[in-house]
Amino acid sequence: MLEINLTKQPVYWATIEKNKDRHLKMESMFKNLNFENTHQIDGEISNPYTVGIAQSHIDALSNPLPLIVMEDDCSVTKNWTPTISIPEGTDAVYLGTSWFGMIRDVSTYRGCISSIYDNNFNKIYNMLGIHSVLYISERYKDHVIKTLKDFQQNPGTRGCDEPIALTMKNFNILALKNPLFYQEDGHSDQETITPLQPLF
């Protein structure tokens, strides 16, 4: 097992310059949780906006591992703990989860497929939501960067987390059974604060 103190990991959080209220909220959360090494990434306002979000994640992932990438609508849950033990061979840990998943190339509510991994983690296969992820392996980091760059070439009306979810099954991606963060965006709150219900 790999012991990780989350407060000592570099955190790169994606936002846009005009979201001042979210900046204050994120800075306050980091201070209250005693995070030591946080970096604000101001993304470009693009059309579609998902291209700019993808670039912010690419910029964050261009730094040495391990690292945490967050989005500016993250909020901490009652499950917060600064230290987690991660099984060897894990590519990434989703510190926040989502009940949305990709089913046959469609974003689907209650579509996230997961299985019980151990007492603390579920293994996830197609989960949407990249609002709070701890990246560990170089191979997965490189894959996500390539996936996001490909997305930028042909975004359509999709979210940049969708192509990531579609390939998640090819890696060892875990999610905490009790998420530490959720997406407080006004429409995904319950779907990201409620623990997953594994299918097997």
Side-chain angles (χ1 to χ4, degrees):
M1 299 290 279
L2 178 65
E3 291 287 322
I4 295 280
N5 185 330
L6 298 173
T7 66
K8 296 185 181 301
Q9 306 311 309
V11 179
Y12 298 87
W13 56 282
T15 187
I16 54 176
E17 195 276 332
K18 70 176 184 178
N19 281 353
K20 303 296 185 185
D21 56 336
R22 290 189 177 188
H23 300 170
L24 292 173
K25 180 184 73 71
M26 292 293 287
E27 290 163 1
S28 176
M29 179 180 75
F30 291 137
K31 181 177 180 182
N32 290 336
L33 299 180
N34 297 313
F35 275 89
E36 299 177 3
N37 187 6
T38 64
H39 307 269
Q40 178 177 329
I41 297 179
D42 289 328
E44 298 178 6
I45 298 176
S46 59
N47 185 16
Y49 73 95
T50 50
V51 170
I53 295 173
Q55 187 60 50
S56 294
H57 283 263
I58 292 168
D59 292 345
L61 288 168
S62 299
N63 292 282
L65 296 176
L67 59 81
I68 298 168
V69 180
M70 290 188 179
E71 295 180 344
D72 66 2
D73 53 7
C74 272
S75 288
V76 68
T77 73
K78 65 181 181 181
N79 308 313
W80 168 250
T81 180
T83 304
I84 58 175
S85 298
I86 301 170
E88 295 290 339
T90 301
D91 290 305
V93 175
Y94 275 60
L95 306 175
T97 61
S98 174
W99 281 44
F100 283 90
M102 293 296 288
I103 301 291
R104 294 188 180 89
D105 208 29
V106 177
S107 173
T108 306
Y109 175 58
R110 291 182 178 264
C112 177
I113 298 172
S114 64
S115 61
I116 297 172
Y117 187 85
D118 62 18
N119 290 335
N120 298 312
F121 295 98
N122 295 318
K123 182 171 172 57
I124 51 177
Y125 300 91
N126 68 334
M127 191 173 74
L128 291 166
I130 49 177
H131 54 280
S132 182
V133 183
L134 169 64
Y135 291 88
I136 300 167
S137 77
E138 291 288 344
R139 74 173 191 136
Y140 188 62
K141 180 180 93 163
D142 292 345
H143 170 75
V144 171
I145 289 173
K146 181 182 185 304
T147 300
L148 291 173
K149 287 182 176 179
D150 290 345
F151 166 83
Q152 288 178 315
Q153 299 303 310
N154 185 27
T157 59
R158 310 181 75 182
C160 61
D161 56 344
E162 295 186 15
I164 294 173
L166 286 168
T167 59
M168 188 176 285
K169 63 183 180 294
N170 300 322
F171 297 87
N172 190 27
I173 313 299
L174 304 181
L176 287 158
K177 286 187 173 181
N178 296 303
L180 303 184
F181 298 96
Y182 72 103
Q183 196 165 17
E184 191 178 17
D185 61 1
H187 58 85
S188 301
D189 302 46
Q190 284 304 119
E191 291 82 0
T192 58
I193 201 170
T194 306
L196 298 174
Q197 293 184 351
L199 296 180
F200 55 96

